Amino acid sequence: MSDTAEMTTPAGTDANAPSVAAPSSLQVRVRAMRWEASGVLSLELSAVDGTLLPPFEPGAHVDLRLPDGTLRQYSLCGDPSDRSHYRLGIRAVGGGVSSTFVHRRLRPGELVTVSAPRNNFALEDAESYIFVAGGIGVTPLIPMMRQASADGRPWTLLYCNKRDSDAPFLDEIRALGGAISLHSSEAGTRLDVEAQLAGVQTGAMIYCCGPEGLMTAVEEATTAWPQDAVRFEWFAPRSRADEGASGSFEVVCNISGLTLTVPEDRTVLDVLNDAGIEVPCSCQQGICGTCETRVVSGEVDHRDSILSSAERAANQTMMTCVSRAKAGSRLVLDI
Ligand code: FES
């Protein structure tokens, strides 16, 4: 018998489940819940039969499906070397329906479902790291800091919160041994992103996760850095001023041989699934990466919040739940 819990594909009997293909998933038990800061709970999830959970790398996230049928992505913020459980950090305010359910209704002992870990925010090897976190956005960065310390790489955390006392997991992060700079809007010690990050540090990488204002400020301050040296994790779709309507266009499915028309008011994902071509999906907002599909030819109008500008320019994959064809282009997908 395997000592690793087995991921299965659910039959989709949940009335709230999306009508499209769901990723493989695993039922787990809430083994502990703990306050990590004001308004922030951590959940520890373990396999029902006590076996080890599938491995994950720093930066990975899972889809969490709750007993009320809601589904949302959360970063894995525990220690990747301890596969006895997954740990998630969940903020109550502003976190949406799932987070509210966790805080108000979910209790230790209950069963929930998680997807296989997925990583759009992998930690690359670098000489040093700058981690920039806004509040609960620190969660994907914690395993990265742990890894950087284990690898002997110097790192700095620029940690922004309303109050320093609101900073989740702070004691745990302090024990990891990096340099921590706390920034609090209430104390008037807001992070000066430009002053801290505009100067390129050769060999360093920046990893940033937090609210849109912080991410945009970091993006704007780091334009002189090599494109690949600055990475972001979006947990809500980023707003884009340039996203107008795009008309209908054709998608050619290279493997099945089907040619489909995507109307202006529908997504590529919907049209593929209606035609019987199952593309797994989860967030349907361009933030989780589940529906990523290889592009053979055609120009993609990328509307996701995952791909870097270099990956967009390479035009090798697209998120079919949000991205479309550029005007006048026909997409050929490897599907
Ligand atoms: Fe999440 Fe498309 S389903 S990116």
Side-chain angles (χ1 to χ4, degrees):
M1 190 177 88
S2 163
D3 65 350
T4 296
E6 193 180 338
M7 310 299 291
T8 60
T9 300
T13 50
D14 182 340
N16 294 306
S19 58
V20 291
S24 58
S25 59
L26 171 72
Q27 198 170 53
V28 290
R29 189 179 304 283
V30 180
R31 81 171 196 184
M33 298 176 78
R34 194 172 300 117
W35 289 108
E36 302 293 349
S38 171
V40 175
L41 275 172
S42 66
L43 293 190
E44 287 184 9
L45 308 172
S46 56
V48 174
D49 60 4
T51 53
L52 296 179
L53 294 170
F56 72 96
E57 300 288 331
H61 70 268
V62 291
D63 299 340
L64 174 67
R65 185 176 286 282
L66 293 164
D68 67 345
T70 55
L71 180 78
R72 179 163 173 156
Q73 292 74 43
Y74 293 100
S75 293
L76 293 167
C77 64
D79 182 351
S81 69
D82 180 358
R83 290 168 52 199
S84 67
H85 69 283
Y86 291 155
R87 187 179 65 166
L88 315 177
I90 301 181
R91 191 180 63 144
V93 179
V97 181
S98 293
S99 304
T100 303
F101 184 94
V102 167
H103 277 254
R104 294 198 181 155
R105 308 244 320 260
L106 193 69
R107 293 296 174 256
E110 289 195 68
L111 298 179
V112 296
T113 302
V114 291
S115 68
R118 205 166 32 247
N119 201 346
N120 306 317
F121 194 45
L123 185 71
E124 306 283 342
D125 192 26
E127 290 172 22
S128 62
Y129 300 96
I130 302 171
F131 299 112
V132 187
I136 196 66
V138 78
T139 49
L141 305 176
I142 296 172
M144 295 186 177
M145 294 179 236
R146 189 180 300 281
Q147 183 70 52
S149 289
D151 293 343
R153 302 286 196 268
W155 57 267
T156 300
L157 169 64
L158 307 176
Y159 198 4
C160 308
N161 289 276
K162 191 170 176 194
R163 287 173 287 267
D164 291 346
S165 58
D166 286 348
F169 304 103
L170 186 55
D171 289 344
E172 177 179 327
I173 295 168
R174 280 190 166 125
L176 296 177
I180 302 172
S181 178
L182 294 175
H183 300 275
S184 147
S185 50
E186 205 169 89
T189 54
R190 271 182 189 278
L191 175 64
D192 184 341
V193 176
E194 184 75 22
Q196 292 276 346
L197 298 175
V200 177
Q201 297 181 27
T202 307
M205 288 190 72
I206 298 175
Y207 283 82
C208 177
C209 184
E212 178 156 14
L214 177 66
M215 306 261 273
T216 305
V218 171
E219 198 170 49
E220 289 171 358
T222 55
T223 50
W225 284 66
Q227 272 186 2
D228 276 359
V230 188
R231 305 289 173 91
F232 299 91
E233 174 87 320
W234 296 81
F235 264 73
R238 59 179 309 178
S239 19
R240 293 182 197 286
D242 53 347
E243 231 172 58
S246 81
S248 66
F249 56 93
E250 278 190 348
V251 168
V252 179
C253 306
N254 210 26
I255 295 174
S256 66
L258 287 175
T259 298
L260 306 167
T261 300
V262 181
E264 186 168 351
D265 61 347
R266 303 208 66 208
T267 67
V268 174
L269 180 74
D270 287 340
V271 170
L272 291 172
N273 281 295
D274 281 358
I277 300 172
E278 288 208 339
V279 178
C281 91
S282 176
C283 72
Q284 301 193 53
Q285 299 182 90
I287 56 174
C288 76
T290 313
C291 68
E292 186 169 13
T293 302
R294 243 179 56 74
V295 176
V296 177
S297 65
E299 278 193 278
V300 180
D301 175 6
H302 292 285
R303 297 183 172 201
D304 63 89
S305 306
I306 302 169
L307 296 179
S308 65
S309 34
E311 289 168 327
R312 285 162 188 248
N315 204 54
Q316 291 182 339
T317 67
M318 70 179 287
M319 304 304 152
T320 54
C321 65
V322 290
S323 296
R324 307 184 65 80
K326 282 193 176 162
S329 189
R330 185 168 90 140
L331 300 179
V332 180
L333 302 182
D334 192 21
I335 195 166

